Amino acid sequence: MKKRFTEEQIIPILKEAEAGLPVKELCRNYNISDATFYTWRKKYGGLEVSEARRLKALEEENARLKKLLAESMLDSEALKAALNRKY
C-alpha cells in the first residue's frame, strides 16, 4: 500500500500541532482524519526526521528477520517430519 505522506512530511505536520495549531485545523489543511493524526503522533511524536527514517529501516529489517525465522522454522519442521517418516 502506497502511503500519501512520508515521514519527512509527517514530522513537520506534528511539529505544527506542537507549536499550537489546533488538530482540527491541521486535519482540514492536510486533508487527513483525526485518527490518522493521532496514529502519527503515537508513532512519530517527538522524533526528528532522521530518527523516523531509522525507525522505518529497523521495522523493515525486523519484518525481514521474522520472515527468515519463519522460513527456517518451517524447513526445520519439514526435515523433522521427513526423518520421522523414514524411521
Side-chain angles (χ1 to χ4, degrees):
M1 175 172 83
K2 186 173 189 275
K3 295 182 180 179
R4 237 176 53 184
F5 292 91
T6 64
E7 288 81 8
E8 291 83 4
Q9 294 168 316
I10 293 170
I11 302 295
I13 293 170
L14 294 175
K15 293 207 182 284
E16 286 183 48
E18 289 173 13
L21 197 61
V23 172
K24 292 281 185 195
E25 188 175 332
L26 267 176
C27 292
R28 193 172 40 255
N29 291 346
Y30 292 101
N31 196 26
I32 58 172
S33 69
D34 289 1
T36 297
F37 173 82
Y38 290 114
T39 299
W40 288 352
R41 191 169 73 178
K42 182 178 178 185
K43 185 171 184 178
Y44 300 110
L47 294 180
E48 295 298 324
V49 173
S50 62
E51 295 168 327
R53 284 189 196 130
R54 179 75 177 136
L55 175 64
K56 182 178 179 182
L58 289 171
E59 288 173 339
E60 289 170 356
E61 181 181 10
N62 189 36
R64 185 182 58 80
L65 291 172
K66 283 182 177 181
K67 182 179 177 188
L68 286 172
L69 176 61
E71 290 171 353
S72 176
M73 291 173 75
L74 276 173
D75 289 346
S76 176
E77 289 299 318
L79 287 172
K80 285 179 187 175
L83 285 174
N84 287 338
R85 280 192 304 249
K86 192 174 186 179
Y87 295 107

